[in-house]
Amino acid sequence: MGKTVIDKRPGSGAGRGGFRQAQAWLHTWCGLWFSWLLYAVFLTGTLAVFQEAITHWMTPEHHAEEAAQEAAQAAAQAAGQVASRGQRLAWGAAFMEKYHQGAEMWEIWPTDAQGGGELKVYWFDKQREYADADLDTATGEPMADGNHGAARATEGGHHFVDFHYELHAGQAGLWVVGVAGMAMLVALISGVITHKRIFQDFFTFRARKGQRSWLDAHNAVAVLTLPFQLMIAYTGIAISAMSFMPAGIWSQYGTAPNAIQTYAAELGEPGKPPLSGQAMAVPDLESFAARGQALMGQPVRAVVVDHPGDAAARVGIYGWNSDADADKRLSPNTGMAMFSAASGELLQLRMPGKAEGGGASLAQSVMGGLHMVKFGGWPMKWVYFLCGLAGTAMMATGAILFVVKRRSKHMGEFGSATATVYRLIEGLNVAAIAGLGVACIGYFWANRLLPLGMANRVQWELGVFFGLWLAALLHGLLRAPAKAWLEQMALLAALCLLLPVLNAVTVGDHWPAQLLRGDWESAGVELGAWAFGLAAVWACRVLWRRRALVTGKAASSTANKLQVGA
């Protein structure tokens, strides 16, 4: 690295220069300090778009079971041996009456949208945790734990969802991500103000020009997906508004831990009556299900009984969204019909795609659908995935640009500690960008290498993810930046490209077989790993060439000095 020059020109800093210079300062520093966290949130959020496919790949034991269940269901339907929805509801109610008398709520999922599938029952246990049981669809008897076979315990793709919005740290993590989201909005808006030629910047890329190339790449991906970045940051904050602005809820419901849950329940299902104290048997649920289905125009997904055994009980019928309907609606809400269990009177009706609580609730539902891509099907998921990758690249190029720009010239922002701070930033860049990639793919490797019957297996998988990321941070801080980048990128490439080999060795499955049997989710995960691996190989090639170039220049400079000295 050549000698660093300190730029002493006036006009730098938030309080100096004009409005545009102030926005540039805000864009640089607000973007830098949050770029590492936002990069992690964006990358995991992008992977979370395909959380179902990732979960499918990470639970290979379920593949054969799902195929066997589909075959058994088809055979039972052909032989006319499938229990009716009414029979399944009666079995669910009998199970709750026998084993969980006194539960404040019964929730029975009788069938899938086609009238078959599993029979599941849910309730709140004594700790108000959601509990569930599977019932035999031929007899109504509870099935033993582990009836799904020796499936591996894993969070699957949901790990990326949890990390994306709360960093696996509960409410504290939600607040941290919320603050980062607001910083992203500030950085985006100040970035737009900073660029005089934002449209021209989009069509400008000067390759192999060092700092200029990083700036062009940063501008191109930012401008290309600017509407998406603004939408995803704003909706991400808006859908958690109740957590970020709880004063209104506190004023009406108090500050008890369950205040927000009570508020949400009353907002979504207003008018829940108090217990009457008069005993009343739970009526036949099929008649309510049939009426609810006719009113909603959707097949029945769930039947919920509030206050079962009391004369004030009510029965809620919830519908299934078909893929075709869900693709067309921005609000993912299903239909719902609520009845009085005693009189059968219709208390409340919500049509599919609508929301209780007026326009504000519907707007929040729509924002949730926009943020979580609940519409548009697979084509829209791919649009979100590619835009998410572009947003991730925008943050990575911005963080790298900061360092590249200051390698040759800086402004002494941290006084005598400036060089140390810049070195720390370089190490953080390596860990946040390459190291997080290693941690993500390491999570997939842990899924295949950890023993099936291992205690606390879910926590071990997460431990591998965070352990690799911590190791990458230490490596990035201790090694020279050029070597750290190259070594972590090489590790990332190897782990990605060898993932299909690991799957073939440990599970006996591979993507050609997956494609032949139409398992696009598993094949997509492995082909996606290859795509990331090839991108990492390309990055290694660029880093290797640059390193050779720098080494050659240094050797040439040394030789010239020796000649002059001689």
Side-chain angles (χ1 to χ4, degrees):
M1 181 185 296
K3 184 178 179 181
T4 301
V5 176
I6 299 178
D7 187 352
K8 297 181 178 179
R9 290 177 301 172
S12 61
R16 289 175 284 180
F19 177 71
R20 196 182 295 277
Q21 285 75 17
Q23 295 301 308
W25 181 92
L26 187 63
H27 180 74
T28 299
W29 290 102
C30 190
L32 174 69
W33 295 126
F34 287 95
S35 62
W36 303 303
L37 175 59
L38 286 171
Y39 178 88
V41 169
F42 247 74
L43 180 60
T44 52
T46 301
L47 294 174
V49 169
F50 293 117
Q51 62 161 316
E52 293 90 355
I54 292 171
T55 300
H56 178 76
W57 186 89
M58 297 182 81
T59 53
E61 291 77 17
H62 281 165
H63 301 178
E65 183 187 0
E66 288 171 355
Q69 282 181 347
E70 288 175 4
Q73 183 177 338
Q77 285 179 329
Q81 297 174 343
V82 177
S84 67
R85 183 180 66 195
Q87 180 62 69
R88 292 185 178 211
L89 286 171
W91 282 337
F95 169 81
M96 291 302 299
E97 186 72 37
K98 182 176 181 180
Y99 294 101
H100 300 285
Q101 242 183 10
E104 64 181 272
M105 182 275 292
W106 299 356
E107 182 173 329
I108 306 171
W109 290 44
T111 67
D112 58 20
Q114 289 72 44
E118 298 179 325
L119 169 56
K120 298 182 76 72
V121 184
Y122 301 86
W123 66 95
F124 288 124
D125 62 16
K126 293 179 180 176
Q127 289 75 41
R128 285 197 60 77
E129 297 287 337
Y130 224 31
D132 66 274
D134 291 327
L135 305 186
D136 193 316
T137 55
T139 65
E141 292 298 316
M143 300 175 73
D145 290 340
N147 62 82
H148 291 295
R152 62 192 66 207
T154 179
E155 280 208 7
H158 200 67
H159 155 58
F160 296 111
V161 178
D162 276 354
F163 185 89
H164 161 70
Y165 82 93
E166 64 173 19
L167 309 176
H168 287 292
Q171 198 70 8
L174 182 67
W175 270 95
V176 171
V177 173
V179 171
M182 287 183 241
M184 179 176 170
L185 281 177
V186 171
L188 285 172
I189 294 169
S190 58
V192 170
I193 296 171
T194 300
H195 291 293
K196 298 179 182 176
R197 304 169 301 172
I198 192 167
F199 187 72
Q200 185 177 342
D201 284 347
F202 174 63
F203 293 99
T204 303
F205 182 75
R206 287 154 286 192
R208 300 178 182 175
K209 297 293 182 183
Q211 174 187 329
R212 182 61 63 183
S213 299
W214 285 109
L215 179 61
D216 289 344
H218 180 69
N219 290 338
V221 291
V223 175
L224 175 66
T225 57
L226 181 61
F228 176 82
Q229 315 301 343
L230 287 169
M231 180 277 292
I232 211 75
Y234 181 76
T235 55
I237 295 169
I239 59 179
S240 298
M242 285 192 298
S243 297
F244 300 143
M245 296 183 291
I249 299 172
W250 288 348
S251 67
Q252 298 296 319
Y253 293 87
T255 57
N258 62 346
I260 289 182
Q261 287 84 350
T262 305
Y263 161 77
E266 293 190 3
L267 180 67
E269 299 174 1
K272 186 176 182 179
L275 286 166
S276 70
Q278 298 178 358
M280 186 191 80
V282 174
D284 171 55
L285 297 177
E286 172 55 22
S287 61
F288 291 97
R291 287 178 60 197
Q293 178 170 317
L295 289 167
M296 298 182 300
Q298 289 187 317
V300 174
R301 172 172 54 93
V303 176
V304 179
V305 183
D306 292 317
H307 302 327
D310 188 89
R314 62 179 190 174
V315 180
I317 310 299
Y318 294 82
W320 281 106
N321 274 335
S322 70
D323 290 342
D325 288 342
D327 289 352
K328 298 174 185 172
R329 287 199 305 262
L330 290 179
S331 169
N333 287 347
T334 68
M336 184 273 290
M338 188 73 71
F339 301 95
S340 163
S343 65
E345 177 189 0
L346 177 65
L347 303 175
Q348 186 183 352
L349 177 63
R350 180 184 71 205
M351 296 306 290
K354 304 298 182 183
E356 295 85 1
S361 291
L362 181 59
Q364 189 181 38
S365 174
V366 168
M367 287 189 187
L370 276 172
H371 190 86
M372 292 178 272
V373 63
K374 298 289 187 183
F375 64 102
W378 286 103
M380 191 56 66
K381 283 180 181 287
W382 276 105
V383 170
Y384 269 57
F385 184 75
L386 295 175
C387 288
L389 287 181
T392 307
M394 175 186 72
M395 289 152 198
T397 52
I400 294 171
L401 175 63
F402 178 93
V403 172
V404 170
K405 188 176 180 181
R406 284 159 177 78
R407 277 179 185 159
S408 58
K409 180 173 63 179
H410 67 71
M411 300 173 186
E413 297 96 333
F414 303 98
S416 59
T418 298
T420 304
V421 173
Y422 286 172
R423 175 65 185 91
L424 176 65
I425 290 172
E426 285 211 71
L428 288 169
N429 276 352
V430 176
I433 297 170
L436 178 62
V438 171
C440 287
I441 194 66
Y443 175 68
F444 288 80
W445 277 69
N447 177 266
R448 286 296 187 265
L449 294 178
L450 292 176
L452 279 183
M454 186 178 194
N456 300 317
R457 193 176 187 282
V458 172
Q459 286 70 33
W460 275 102
E461 282 189 359
L462 296 179
V464 169
F465 172 82
F466 286 107
L468 284 172
W469 203 6
L470 178 61
L473 174 61
L474 296 175
H475 178 259
L477 293 175
L478 295 175
R479 293 285 279 174
K483 291 181 179 177
W485 275 113
L486 184 59
E487 289 163 0
Q488 292 199 24
M489 279 296 178
L491 178 60
L492 175 61
L495 291 175
C496 287
L497 294 175
L498 291 175
L499 186 70
V501 177
L502 174 71
N503 190 41
V505 171
T506 55
V507 179
D509 197 13
H510 48 79
W511 64 262
Q514 293 157 3
L515 291 176
L516 285 175
R517 66 172 185 268
D519 186 357
W520 294 101
E521 290 183 313
S522 295
V525 169
E526 299 197 4
L527 292 174
W530 268 21
F532 280 109
L534 292 174
V537 168
W538 173 80
C540 286
R541 185 166 174 265
V542 171
L543 289 166
W544 184 263
R545 282 185 170 184
R546 185 162 299 164
R547 186 183 175 194
L549 184 63
V550 171
T551 304
K553 285 184 176 178
S556 174
S557 175
T558 303
N560 289 337
K561 288 179 180 178
L562 288 174
Q563 287 179 356
V564 171

